[in-house]
């Protein structure tokens, strides 16, 4: 192929990537109706748990001293440690700089107070619009936990009203801590007991159905440890089998499993204290094979699981892979995983979600990922162009639309026979 054709292809891909409006299918941000649950601004960006973990690589301060500090003091310390005393090129540090840069703030001044003044002058609703526009995001899926005492009352009073924010019912407390959490279900008005009798299981199904409907949840989701197995003689195994899968099938919504997190290996770090371990892909294979009428969305945290998971997705149309999750949300892994997935699955996967906890993070997570995904896509088109295959601009746009949200929405609509 000629250099001119390659350059033309590059600009078609760049244009499509630049113009696509993204659906971000897994975040931890909330619409303004959730009040203080919506985090934004420079101090929130700095106290992001990814940066807390990195800061403790350099400081000897006792953990309790750090946690006793105000948010502003923590942000000051993190700024000094990671941005001034050291060079901020880790992915999470670079992200803060990308956000400031996209907001037209001058990062060369290193003037934290000036950045604070910029955010203090912003009105929340106006800023929310600006972030969505700058990030090229049209809608996001939240993570919604009815066991959260700050969040539950908002839903009980009518819930999310901003149509850009969609819900996902998160059920970690149910599946990962039945023994501790079943009394809470009883407090919510469901007649359950510790023992998973038929009556209790029926009440759990009623709870799930009520909450999916109340939230308009697009899917149910859980994060799971590396030891996750299925089938399994445990409360979690029984609840998945008897409650989650039947309710998801009945309501035709996917069950999203995020597998591979080792919770609190260092509890002193709090939210930053979780780690990773290789998981058992066979549990996913078993679920897909034995519940063909259920739809599953899966992401795994350990790099070593990614190839096997791609192959399982080739075998089961009821499985949709998504995102480069958490410790894999680094350029090196996004590049590798996107290539591997494109080479094994074509365009039938969701390359990325943001996992943003702070509104502004939508800007950097998507700026960084769009660039990498665009580069990989261009190379893939180039490879087939070298055989003489001509890809049209409309086809490039179709693929990009699918990768950045279209495929997610069609999977939600899919009805399996
Ligand atoms: O990426 C994160 O911020 C993690 O702390 C988790 O929230 C993870 O993404 C999850 O959804 O469990
Ligand atoms: Zn998450």
């Amino acid at each position: 192929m000629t250099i001119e054709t390659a350059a033309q292809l590059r600009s078609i891909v760049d244009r499509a990537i630049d113009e696509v409006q993204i659906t971000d299918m897994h975040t931890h941000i909330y619409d303004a109706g959730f009040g203080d649950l919506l985090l934004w601004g420079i101090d929130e960006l700095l106290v992001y748990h990814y940066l807390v973990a990195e800061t403790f690589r350099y400081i000897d301060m006792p953990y309790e001293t750090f946690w006793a500090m105000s948010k502003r003091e923590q942000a000051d310390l993190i700024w000094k440690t990671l941005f001034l005393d050291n060079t901020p090129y880790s992915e999470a540090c670079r992200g803060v700089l990308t956000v400031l840069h996209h907001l037209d703030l001058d990062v060369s001044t290193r003037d934290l107070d000036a950045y604070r003044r910029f955010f203090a002058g912003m009105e929340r609703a106006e800023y929310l619009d600006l972030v969505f526009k700058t990030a090229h995001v049209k809608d996001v899926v939240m993570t919604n936990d009815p066991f959260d005492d700050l969040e539950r009352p908002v839903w009980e009073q009518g819930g999310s009203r901003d149509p850009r924010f969609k819900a996902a019912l998160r059920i970690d407390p149910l599946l990962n801590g039945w023994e501790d959490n079943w009394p809470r279900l009883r407090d919510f008005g469901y007649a359950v007991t510790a023992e998973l009798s038929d009556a209790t299981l029926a009440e759990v199904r009623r709870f799930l159905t009520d909450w999916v409907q109340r939230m308009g949840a697009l899917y149910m989701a859980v994060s799971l440890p590396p030891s996750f197995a299925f089938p399994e003689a445990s409360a979690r195994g029984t609840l998945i089998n008897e409650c989650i899968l039947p309710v998801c099938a009945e309501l035709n919504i996917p069950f999203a499993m995020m597998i591979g997190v080792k919770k609190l290996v260092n509890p002193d770090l709090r939210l930053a204290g979780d780690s990773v371990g290789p998981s058992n892909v066979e549990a996913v294979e078993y679920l897909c094979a034995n519940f063909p009428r259920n739809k599953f969305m899966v992401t795994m945290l350990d790099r070593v699981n990614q190839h096997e998971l791609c192959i399982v997705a080739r075998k089961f149309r009821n499985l949709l892979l998504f995102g480069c999750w958490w410790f894999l949300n680094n350029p090196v892994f996004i590049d590798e995983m996107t290539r591997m997935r494109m080479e094994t699955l074509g365009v039938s996967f969701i390359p990325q979600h943001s996992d943003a906890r702070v509104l502004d993070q939508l800007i950097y997570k998507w700026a960084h990922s769009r660039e990498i995904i665009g580069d990989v896509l261009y190379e893939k088109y180039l490879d087939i162009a070298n055989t003489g295959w001509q890809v049209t601009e409309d086809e490039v746009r179709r693929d990009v639309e699918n990768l950045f949200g279209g495929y997610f929405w069609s999977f939600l609509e899919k009805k399996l026979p």
Side-chain angles (χ1 to χ4, degrees):
M1 102 174 313
T2 64
I3 291 172
E4 290 76 21
T5 328
Q8 205 180 8
L9 186 55
R10 182 79 238 194
S11 67
I12 290 174
V13 173
D14 287 349
R15 212 164 30 242
I17 293 277
D18 188 52
E19 288 172 12
V20 70
Q21 291 298 305
I22 300 162
T23 292
D24 188 341
M25 52 74 66
H26 171 61
T27 75
H28 297 263
I29 57 173
Y30 295 87
D31 89 36
F34 287 81
D36 291 344
L37 285 173
L38 170 58
L39 307 178
W40 61 286
I42 184 66
D43 285 346
E44 296 293 353
L45 284 170
L46 287 171
V47 302
Y48 186 31
H49 69 84
Y50 292 27
L51 293 181
V52 170
E54 289 176 28
T55 299
F56 275 101
R57 304 280 312 140
Y58 303 104
I59 60 170
D60 295 327
M61 176 184 280
Y63 294 108
E64 321 78 80
T65 312
F66 178 81
W67 294 118
M69 288 159 73
S70 69
K71 188 173 290 174
R72 193 185 169 98
E73 288 166 342
Q74 291 174 350
D76 282 337
L77 175 65
I78 291 171
W79 176 257
K80 180 179 179 306
T81 308
L82 296 182
F83 292 78
L84 304 180
D85 296 347
N86 293 285
T87 299
Y89 60 63
S90 76
E91 176 61 8
C93 285
R94 174 186 164 221
V96 176
L97 301 180
T98 302
V99 173
L100 298 175
H101 176 62
H102 280 253
L103 293 170
D104 287 333
L105 295 163
D106 182 359
V107 299
S108 75
T109 65
R110 304 183 179 195
D111 186 349
L112 181 55
D113 287 332
Y115 309 144
R116 282 185 170 134
R117 281 196 298 279
F118 167 83
F119 289 99
M122 276 286 169
E123 201 260 314
R124 192 169 58 174
E126 173 201 2
Y127 186 60
L128 209 145
D129 292 345
L130 176 67
V131 170
F132 270 59
K133 184 161 169 279
T134 312
H136 304 224
V137 168
K138 72 165 183 277
D139 40 30
V140 303
V141 184
M142 304 177 280
T143 295
N144 303 106
D145 179 356
F147 289 83
D148 183 316
D149 292 332
L150 295 175
E151 181 170 349
R152 194 179 54 261
V154 183
W155 289 110
E156 283 164 351
Q157 287 151 28
S160 171
R161 279 172 300 273
D162 184 332
R164 292 172 294 186
F165 287 76
K166 320 286 182 196
L169 175 60
R170 183 76 175 237
I171 46 175
D172 289 32
L174 200 65
L175 291 187
N176 296 329
W178 172 258
E179 293 73 14
D180 295 329
N181 292 319
W182 70 265
R184 308 218 41 217
L185 223 56
R186 193 190 47 197
D187 298 343
F188 301 156
Y190 297 87
V192 295
T193 56
E195 190 215 337
L196 291 170
S197 63
D198 287 350
T200 288
L201 293 169
E203 281 296 89
V204 175
R205 286 192 291 271
R206 186 167 74 84
F207 165 79
L208 294 169
T209 309
D210 286 351
W211 276 93
V212 167
Q213 287 170 347
R214 174 174 288 140
M215 293 173 168
L218 299 182
Y219 58 84
M220 276 190 220
V222 67
S223 73
L224 295 160
S227 59
F228 173 62
F230 194 90
E232 189 185 59
S234 64
R236 181 166 58 212
T238 305
L239 287 163
I240 291 177
N241 197 31
E242 303 282 341
C243 304
I244 308 298
L245 296 175
V247 172
C248 283
E250 166 76 22
L251 301 174
N252 195 32
I253 59 171
F255 178 37
M257 294 180 288
M258 308 175 68
I259 311 172
V261 52
K262 281 202 254 174
K263 286 282 178 199
L264 292 181
V265 297
N266 182 355
D268 288 328
L269 281 175
R270 302 194 182 174
L271 203 51
D274 298 346
S275 188
V276 58
S279 301
N280 181 2
V281 181
E282 282 176 4
V284 177
E285 201 167 61
Y286 183 95
L287 282 160
C288 293
N290 287 280
F291 299 88
R293 293 199 57 248
N294 272 97
K295 296 186 283 189
F296 299 94
M297 297 196 304
V298 172
T299 197
M300 282 184 151
L301 196 52
D302 200 310
R303 183 189 189 190
V304 301
N305 289 128
Q306 302 308 324
H307 178 250
E308 191 181 355
L309 193 57
C310 277
I311 305 310
V312 175
R314 283 172 71 90
K315 308 300 148 192
F316 296 103
R317 62 184 167 178
N318 57 343
L319 173 58
L320 180 58
L321 302 192
F322 70 95
C324 303
W325 181 28
W326 198 347
F327 309 121
L328 292 172
N329 190 18
N330 282 5
V332 58
F333 303 124
I334 302 169
D335 180 81
E336 174 183 274
M337 284 168 66
T338 304
R339 278 172 204 281
M340 193 194 308
R341 288 163 166 181
M342 281 184 184
E343 289 164 16
T344 49
L345 300 167
V347 296
S348 66
F349 67 99
I350 302 168
Q352 193 54 305
H353 64 268
S354 78
D355 238 313
R357 282 179 177 270
V358 182
L359 173 68
D360 330 40
Q361 289 169 342
L362 290 178
I363 296 175
Y364 94 75
K365 302 244 187 187
W366 284 111
H368 295 184
S369 288
R370 280 189 309 137
E371 189 181 333
I372 300 166
I373 295 163
D375 286 349
V376 178
L377 200 53
Y378 165 67
E379 279 183 35
K380 295 296 151 207
Y381 288 136
L382 208 54
D383 288 343
I384 53 172
N386 281 327
T387 71
W389 183 266
Q390 291 177 3
V391 62
T392 68
E393 178 151 8
D394 282 349
E395 288 166 344
V396 171
R397 283 184 188 282
R398 175 200 61 197
D399 295 346
V400 169
E401 287 286 337
N402 274 332
L403 290 167
F404 286 88
Y407 203 78
F408 167 67
W409 288 107
S410 37
F411 190 73
L412 291 182
E413 271 157 34
K414 201 187 191 87
K415 286 197 176 66
L416 292 160

